[in-house]
């Protein structure tokens, strides 16, 4: 059975800010009437590294890729590392077939240490998602570490997530009708 909404976390951290935003996005999309549907979060860091690096075929990596191919909405979250998305996210995307996200909607989410790399969402994540055919929502989400208190994001960030989720559901409905 395929899951309509897949979340991909590109953070290697167990206590991750970008993952916390991803969880909020999935919750928003799952809400009754939201138009998203059931979701599943895949922690890319938990996948076997040999499979992720393409050194060998790996059943868990193949299954994660298939889940993405079967989904309607993909929510991607990443910490900003060296001014762009994490290497973990990059190696997973390198394994996707061309046009893997065609006719799918994507939400880009990132967190960074400060505001300086805010544009990494638009200059890094958007082109990454578009390169495999995704329709990316207008509202990208970028949070700085200062916008979190004890792991909880400030209301402005939560509002942005809600808006991105609404846009994703509306776009996905348009794609499937
Ligand atoms: C190796 C490394 C590189 C980083 N590079 C940047 C960077 O270039 N720009 C930035 O704003 N933050 C950078 N940071 C800070 C993280 O992006 C930031 O703390 C982020 O919120 C971590 O996300 P996470 O909690 O989901 O792992 C870096 C952190 C690490 C560990």
């Amino acid at each position: 059975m395929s899951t309509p909404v897949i979340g991909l976390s590109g953070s290697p951290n167990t206590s991750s800010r970008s993952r916390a935003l991803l969880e909020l996005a999935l919750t928003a999309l799952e809400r009754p009437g939201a138009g998203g549907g059931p979701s599943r979060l895949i922690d890319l860091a938990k996948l076997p590294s040999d499979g992720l690096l393409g050194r060998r075929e790996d059943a868990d990596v193949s299954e994660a890729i298939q889940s993405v191919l079967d989904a309607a909405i993909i929510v991607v979250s990443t910490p900003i590392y060296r001014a762009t998305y994490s290497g973990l996210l990059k190696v997973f995307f390198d394994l996707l077939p061309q046009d893997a996200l065609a006719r799918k909607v994507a939400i880009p989410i990132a967190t960074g240490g400060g505001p300086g790399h805010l544009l990494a969402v638009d200059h890094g994540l958007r082109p990454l998602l578009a390169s495999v055919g995704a329709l990316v929502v207008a509202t990208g989400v970028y949070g700085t570490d200062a916008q979190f208190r004890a792991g909880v994001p400030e209301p402005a960030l939560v509002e942005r997530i809600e808006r991105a989720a609404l846009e994703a559901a509306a776009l996905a409905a348009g794609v499937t009708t």
Side-chain angles (χ1 to χ4, degrees), residues 121-177:
V121 172
D122 290 328
H123 292 177
L125 266 181
R126 271 183 201 283
L128 175 76
L129 293 163
S131 75
V132 279
L135 286 167
V136 187
V137 295
T139 302
V141 181
Y142 182 86
T144 64
D145 291 356
Q147 289 179 289
F148 290 79
R149 289 278 175 278
V152 180
E154 67 180 33
L157 261 183
V158 179
E159 271 172 39
R160 233 178 135 74
I161 296 263
E162 295 282 338
R163 199 198 312 172
L166 277 175
E167 289 170 3
L171 266 180
V175 167
T176 51
T177 51

Side-chain angles (χ1 to χ4, degrees), residues 11 13 15-19 79-83 111-114 117 142 145:
S11 173
N13 293 321
S15 168
S16 158
R17 297 177 185 92
S18 55
R19 189 184 193 280
I80 299 300
Y81 284 173
R82 313 297 178 226
T111 61
H117 289 135
Y142 182 86
D145 291 356

Side-chain angles (χ1 to χ4, degrees), residues 38-160:
S39 72
R40 177 180 157 211
L41 195 161
I42 298 174
D43 284 301
L44 298 178
K46 290 191 177 155
L47 293 175
S49 53
D50 266 6
L52 273 178
L53 292 173
R55 290 187 183 129
R56 61 171 171 81
E57 288 276 314
D58 179 90
D60 289 342
V61 172
S62 300
E63 195 273 333
I65 291 170
Q66 193 58 50
S67 301
V68 167
L69 295 176
D70 293 340
I73 299 176
I74 311 293
V75 189
V76 171
S77 73
T78 178
I80 299 300
Y81 284 173
R82 313 297 178 226
T84 190
Y85 45 79
S86 67
L88 196 48
L89 193 63
K90 171 74 165 124
V91 292
F92 183 76
F93 267 71
D94 287 353
L95 295 173
L96 294 177
Q98 196 57 42
D99 296 327
L101 301 195
R103 300 181 58 76
K104 301 180 195 307
V105 175
I107 300 178
I109 298 173
T111 61
H117 289 135
L118 160 77
L119 285 177
V121 172
D122 290 328
H123 292 177
L125 266 181
R126 271 183 201 283
L128 175 76
L129 293 163
S131 75
V132 279
L135 286 167
V136 187
V137 295
T139 302
V141 181
Y142 182 86
T144 64
D145 291 356
Q147 289 179 289
F148 290 79
R149 289 278 175 278
V152 180
E154 67 180 33
L157 261 183
V158 179
E159 271 172 39
R160 233 178 135 74

